[in-house]
Amino acid sequence: MSKPTCYESEITQFLHQYRDKHPGVEERQLEGRARLWDKAQDLELQERLRAARVPQRPYVYQND
């Protein structure tokens, strides 16, 4: 009796093939993420910005 195979979509198959043909792509993705998103956070600056916020009026176009 043969073992049933799992379904893989065409996209999943393409991604597997792409990773096989382009070694190192995952490392480059992580480098790009680190460059754009993984930044150290300045908690004091965030607190000052939060405290300096001016509440928005319910209807911003109303002239008072």
Side-chain angles (χ1 to χ4, degrees), residues 12 14 38 43 48 53 64:
T12 303
F14 169 78
D38 296 338
L43 298 178
R48 286 191 312 227
R53 282 193 183 144
D64 284 334

Side-chain angles (χ1 to χ4, degrees), residues 4-29:
T5 59
C6 295
Y7 170 77
E8 275 191 354
S9 69
E10 291 179 12
I11 296 294
T12 303
Q13 292 172 6
F14 169 78
L15 291 174
H16 287 300
Q17 291 171 2
Y18 185 85
R19 281 190 296 204
D20 292 340
K21 291 178 184 176
H22 300 89
V25 71
E26 292 177 1
E27 290 82 13
R28 290 191 304 273
Q29 286 177 332

Side-chain angles (χ1 to χ4, degrees), residues 27-41:
E27 290 82 13
R28 290 191 304 273
Q29 286 177 332
L30 291 174
E31 289 172 7
R33 174 190 165 136
R35 191 177 312 124
L36 296 174
W37 299 105
D38 296 338
K39 303 288 182 185
Q41 298 295 313

